[in-house]
């Protein structure tokens, strides 16, 4: 059963979604950016402990609240962890006013037809049931498009919506994320194919069913306006995709109705050596910049 107050927040409230969902493959890079070298820890358990400490430091900072951060996407281990004595999803909603989401994909398959589908998720139903018990509102899953290949893009969108329907059956809201690489030489053409394929799948959803979309900021401003306006879409959010935060916010500001869901661009200025005051000041400035790009539209 979808949480009505959280649904209202995700549908209507101004702000953006923080992506705190770096998984095994991207965690070392995130820690290095934070100022923790590979040599400072040994093994996955210690690596994930340090990453959890970083995420909790972000979530518990005074500036991180539902005033501007309306949602947060969590890695599975973060969902299972605690912040100030509460489970992370409970803490986010009850103490911060931030709607919790869960990253559910298990990484990318080998590229075929210029795309990378998601790897199989045989334990997804069990994970979704656990997410419901933990108080998670919705999920996120990522696949990647390298070039404007209609066969590949159609396959990505089909897989995303098939799994999306599985997620919906658990009473959770899926964030559909078929990322177009910002390095693609055919990015604009890929976006045109992607928009058509997503529209086709949205039109096939049963009456009253709604999803969210997480997309690369398009080459042409407002290109995804028809998706934003679609009755089956709660919200369209943007990934930073490797752009610097400044570039991502500037590009986002030209896309009305699209809000940020940034990961690296959210944390790029945070360092483990900062005092709590310095940390919160830096995070507050970042949040203000991303919020402005999400709500102040050209």
């Amino acid at each position: 059963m979808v949480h009505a107050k959280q649904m209202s927040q995700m549908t209507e409230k101004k702000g953006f979604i923080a992506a705190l969902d770096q998984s095994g493959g991207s965690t070392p890079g995130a820690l290095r950016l934070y100022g923790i070298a590979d040599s400072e820890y040994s093994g996955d358990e210690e690596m994930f402990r340090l990453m959890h400490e970083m995420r909790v430091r972000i979530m518990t900072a005074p500036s991180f609240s539902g005033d501007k951060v309306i949602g947060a996407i969590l890695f599975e281990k973060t969902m299972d962890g605690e912040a100030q004595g509460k489970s992370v999803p409970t803490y986010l909603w009850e103490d911060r006013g931030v709607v919790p989401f869960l990253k559910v994909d298990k990484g990318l398959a080998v590229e075929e037809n210029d795309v990378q589908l998601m790897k199989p998720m045989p334990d997804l139903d069990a994970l979704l049931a656990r997410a419901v018990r933990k108080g998670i509102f919705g999920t996120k899953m990522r696949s990647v498009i390298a070039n404007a290949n209609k066969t590949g893009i159609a396959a990505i969108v089909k897989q995303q919506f098939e799994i999306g329907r599985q997620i919906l059956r658990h009473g959770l809201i899926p964030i559909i994320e078929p990322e177009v690489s910002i390095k693609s030489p055919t990015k604009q053409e890929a976006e045109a194919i992607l928009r058509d394929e997503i529209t086709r799948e949205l039109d096939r959803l049963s009456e009253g069913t709604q999803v969210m979309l997480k997309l690369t900021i398009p080459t042409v401003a407002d290109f995804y306006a028809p998706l934003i306006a679609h009755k089956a879409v709660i919200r369209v959010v943007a990934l930073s995709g490797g752009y610097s935060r400044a570039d991502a916010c500037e590009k986002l500001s030209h896309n009305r109705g699209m809000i940020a869901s940034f990961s690296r661009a959210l944390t790029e200025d945070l360092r483990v050596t900062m005092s709590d005051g310095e940390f919160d000041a830096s995070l507050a400035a970042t949040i203000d910049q991303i919020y402005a790009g999400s709500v102040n539209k050209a």
Side-chain angles (χ1 to χ4, degrees), residues 132-295:
V132 170
R133 292 194 298 270
K134 292 273 188 178
I136 292 292
F137 171 79
T139 65
K140 188 214 85 161
M141 50 192 177
R142 171 177 172 263
S143 40
V144 176
I145 297 163
N147 274 301
N149 183 314
K150 183 171 173 55
T151 299
I153 294 173
I156 264 196
V157 175
K158 180 182 178 183
Q159 183 194 42
Q160 283 274 348
F161 276 85
E162 283 178 349
I163 297 172
R165 290 182 177 89
Q166 183 179 353
I167 291 161
L168 285 160
R169 288 194 291 271
H170 285 262
L172 297 165
I173 300 297
I175 299 178
I176 306 291
E177 186 185 5
E179 174 183 346
V180 178
S181 171
I182 64 170
K183 298 177 181 177
S184 173
T186 55
K187 180 175 179 285
Q188 186 172 341
E189 296 90 336
E191 288 163 350
I193 298 168
L194 179 63
R195 189 179 70 176
D196 288 346
E197 293 296 329
I198 290 175
T199 301
R200 188 173 293 112
E201 287 288 349
L202 290 172
D203 290 343
R204 291 179 56 212
L205 292 174
S206 57
E207 187 66 29
T209 299
Q210 290 184 297
V211 301
M212 295 174 64
L213 304 173
K214 182 168 179 173
L215 305 171
T216 306
I217 302 168
T219 304
V220 177
D222 288 331
F223 185 73
Y224 291 130
L227 300 181
I228 293 168
H230 198 287
K231 65 180 181 178
V233 176
I234 295 166
R235 211 83 177 242
V236 177
V237 303
L239 55 98
S240 50
Y243 291 125
S244 69
R245 183 173 64 249
D247 284 348
C249 289
E250 196 281 328
K251 292 176 186 297
L252 180 60
S253 70
H254 299 287
N255 289 270
R256 288 164 292 184
M258 198 174 193
I259 67 170
S261 177
F262 294 169
S263 176
R264 186 191 53 77
L266 174 68
T267 61
E268 65 183 38
D269 291 339
L270 302 178
R271 299 293 181 268
V272 67
T273 52
M274 288 176 167
S275 68
D276 288 345
E278 291 169 336
F279 186 91
D280 187 56
S282 178
L283 182 61
T286 294
I287 287 172
D288 286 346
Q289 185 180 12
I290 297 174
Y291 179 84
S294 294
V295 304

Side-chain angles (χ1 to χ4, degrees), residues 48-62:
F48 285 125
R49 178 184 61 78
L50 291 167
M51 195 71 221
H52 183 70
E53 289 174 358
M54 173 187 168
R55 288 168 176 152
V56 168
R57 194 178 187 193
I58 292 169
M59 289 183 282
T60 57

